[in-house]
Each structure stands twice: as C-alpha cells, then as structure tokens.
Amino acid sequence: MCPVLYAGGAVALLLLWVKVKGLDYVLVHQRWVFVCLFLLPLSLLFDLYYSLRAWLIFRLCSAPRLHEQRVRDIQRQVREWRKEGGKTHMCTGRPGWLTVSLRVGKYKKTHKNITINLMDILEVDTMRQVVRAEPLVNMGQMTALLNSIGWTLPVLPELDDLTVGGLIMGTGIESSSHIYGLFQHICVAYELVLADGSLVRCTAKENSDLFYAVPWSCGTLGFLVAAEIRIIPARAWIKLTYEPVRGLQAICQRFAQESANKENQFVEGLQYSLNEAVIMTGMMTDEAEPDKINRIGFYFKPWFFKHTECFLKEDCRAVEYIPLRHYYHRHTRSIFWELQVTDIIPFGNNPVFRYLFGWMVPPKISLLKLTQGETIRKLYEQHHVVQDMLIPMKHLESAISRFHQDIQVYPLWLCPFVLPSQPGMVHPKGDEDELYVDIGAYGEPKVKHFQARASTRQLEKFVREVHGFQMLYADVYLDRQEFWEMFDGSLYHKLREELDCKLAFPEVYDKICKSARH
C-alpha cells in the first residue's frame, strides 16, 4: 500500500500546486508537467489504438471494400453541397489540431466540412512496385507495414504523423530526395473527388494537367481519396557515415559534393553553428559489422541530433549500422530538436528520463496543438521559428549566411533534393533538373532584433530572389503578388477555371498565407 499512498500524496500535492498557481500559469511556464503527466500517456494510447486498427484492417483485407463505400459518401456530401447552392467553400472535416501544420485552420469554422475518413493502406502491388493508400495513412503506418514485407518508399519523410495527403497536397522530403526528388515525384497516380462530385484518376499520361497541378495545391482542386506511390526493395541496415566539417565554405562544398554523388543513397547535414556541421551519408545494406551497430530508435538511446553532435565535439569521422526503420524515424522521438528548444520536455535527453519514461516519447504533435492555448500559440509565433526554405544548391552558402543574419537558429537541418523540370507550382527556373537543398530552421532565434513578421519576410525575400520556395505548412507572410512570384500559378489557375473550383474551394493563397487571414 505504501507506493500507492506515496503516489496518491504526490498527485494531491500536484493538484494543490496547480490550484494555487492556476492552470494557465502551469500550461505556459511549466508545460512539461502537463505534457509528462497527461499528454505522454494519452499519446501512447492514441498510437496503440491506431496501430492495432491499421494492422487488423489490412490483415482482414477489408480496406478496399470500405474504401469504395467511403468515397461514395464523400461524393454524396459534395453533391448535396451543390444542391444546397454551394454558399460557402468546402474543406475536409478533419479538425485543424490533428494536422502537423502549425497553422490554426480558422477556415474550418466557416467552410462546409466534408467528412473524409480514409486512413488505410489499400494494396501493396509488388509486381508493379506501388502501394495504394488513402490520404490519412501516416508514415509510421507505412514503414511498419512495408518494412515488414521487405519494401519501402524511395522518399519516406521523417515524422511518424505526416500523412500521405499532407505530403502530396503540401510537400515532403527526406535524405534520399537528392536521387528521387520530393514526395510528389514518387507518386504515380492520384484519385480525387472534384467540385462536381465526380471521381477522377490522374497520372502523368491520363489527366496529366491535374496530376501535375495537385502537389502544393493544399486541397484547393479537389478531395484526394487515394494515391499510388512507388516502392523499392528494402534492406535491413543503413550504413551511415558521420563526417564533421568546419568552416562555412568547406561545409557547403562538401555537402554539395556528397549530394551530387548518386552512390550515396542518403545525404543529410546538421549544422550546429555558422562554421560547424556534421554531414551524413548512407547506404542500404543487408550486412552489418556487429561492433558498429547502433539501434538509435530504442527509447533509452540519446536523441539523434545530440548523438550526432558528439562526432563534432570529438572531431572524428565514424561509421555506424542503423536498422532501416530506426533510421527513417531518427528525429521522431525528439521531433527533431523541438522538445528541447521549446521547453516541452527540456530534460528529455537526460539518461534518467530516457530510461524511465522514454518509451512514451514523443507526445503527439496534434495533442500539443490542441492543448497549447492562445497564450502559448502567440508566444511561439513571436519568439519561435519553424520554417523550411527550399534553395538552389548553388546558393547554399549565401542562404546559410542569411539565416544566420536574420534569425540565428541552430541546429539547421540540411536536406538535398533534385527538383525535376516538370509542370506545376514548383519547378526549376530553367528547363533542366536542378539540385536544391531544404534548410530547416526550428527553434528560438538568437538575434537580438528578431521580429517574427519582419524577420520571416526578410528570409522570404531572399528565397524569392534566388528562385527558391517556402514550405506552406509554416507561417507564410507573403502578399498575394509575392506568393505568385515565388510559385508558378499558370497550370493551377487554369485547372481552377476548368474544374469550376472557384466557388468550391478557396485559392491556395487564401487558405495558407497570414496576409490573407488578417
């Protein structure tokens, strides 16, 4: 009984402290208390439920039959909207807090919400080497199934909760993108319910204009109900080489060199200061040297970005063999470095915490959003940066210097990708494929003059000038003219006219840009 009494006493003291301080104070200044006691257990139950559900649905082979029924229901809802006069725009009925995007989707309250309950993997066709999946399938589901049967996606974006629909309608990237491109470039077909309620399939050869216009459109051309995505054979291990590099010019030269080398199946950089970085290159393999195996995904292991930093501090080049799925989700447990830099769990990498509670980490991003409150949201917006800017590789050095000057956030995530010369909102300036790099900045700016709107607009101006692009999940401060200078809207607007989308869906700018919502 003693442990029970101690636990009861601790809970009573905690509740008394919360009552004295006030719930708002605790949520803002001691958020880790709420996260550790409530959100971590709830996140674990959330994951267990959806993992079990996905496993049962796939094993019972009920997904295809249920899929057809659910798509018909979406068509019915759209046709009813049209019969009622189409007085407001439509959007998915998925609550805004469930998305990984940091934006608060206020449009959900004024638009017609269409219920879309599509979260299953429908088919794995190893002959055609494609997987057919519904839009709410997440990357955790995808790796759990595909890796278990010896397959994987060529581009598998990092965080477990990223969904197929979000990665297509927005975008997605991973350390293999220097070979395969963005997530949209490994997709071979989309199925959408359009503004008139019809169901359409599009590929590079069938309804090709729609196929190329869908990525980055953020659900403003139709409702995605399924996608076919390329798969490739998987291997058991990633042979990962860590190389510390010092000096900005040397970092950029080495990173560009490794990114251009197609023998590297994976390339990634973590930049810890203006002149210090670790560049990682990887290869899939079925063989591993036993003394160099590191199962980094185990809950008690150090967070990956801290583990990587050790090679910089020791100034040594090293090789490790990492299980494939562990590598794919190497930044998931710490949500890159957000759990530490945002004080969500500032001591999360402490060995004691990892061994006792690491098995519950990370908290669901959706639950963090749901419980953050207006005060925390405003604090994050004004004193925190989460941005991914896509820059031509040839401008990497000047881009990092600009990030350092305007925001000074470290670590920076560097991820190379090839951008094919194809129609759509995002393509190179010329007629040839071009190597780009995603510079991801997540953290608290260290520059004294930081102002969220002004500083971000400075970065956006630089990105436009070098013909780069800004990921649309984050805060975007561009005005309408600037937005369409950054993105090619010619095909998108053509499709909006042809498919009668103007009354059915908001324009992508109106849906995602802060200037359109203020």
Side-chain angles (χ1 to χ4, degrees), residues 226-245:
E228 291 181 13
I229 309 162
R230 288 176 57 197
I231 57 176
I232 59 175
R235 300 289 181 263
W237 305 92
I238 297 292
K239 180 183 179 182
L240 193 65
T241 301
Y242 304 84
E243 181 180 0
V245 185

Side-chain angles (χ1 to χ4, degrees), residues 67 132 189-193 199-201 223-228:
H67 174 75
R132 183 167 175 253
Y190 308 128
E191 298 170 35
L192 298 101
V193 172
L199 177 64
V200 172
R201 184 176 187 271
F223 294 111
L224 183 71
V225 294
E228 291 181 13

Side-chain angles (χ1 to χ4, degrees), residues 236-283:
W237 305 92
I238 297 292
K239 180 183 179 182
L240 193 65
T241 301
Y242 304 84
E243 181 180 0
V245 185
R246 285 180 166 80
L248 180 58
Q249 187 177 33
I251 290 168
C252 295
Q253 288 178 348
R254 188 64 176 164
F255 186 76
Q257 179 184 348
E258 296 292 3
S259 301
N261 183 359
K262 294 300 189 286
E263 291 184 4
N264 294 323
Q265 292 177 298
F266 303 92
V267 179
E268 174 185 27
L270 293 184
Q271 184 143 355
Y272 291 91
S273 73
L274 182 62
N275 293 297
E276 295 179 309
V278 177
I279 296 173
M280 290 158 279
T281 56
M283 295 279 293

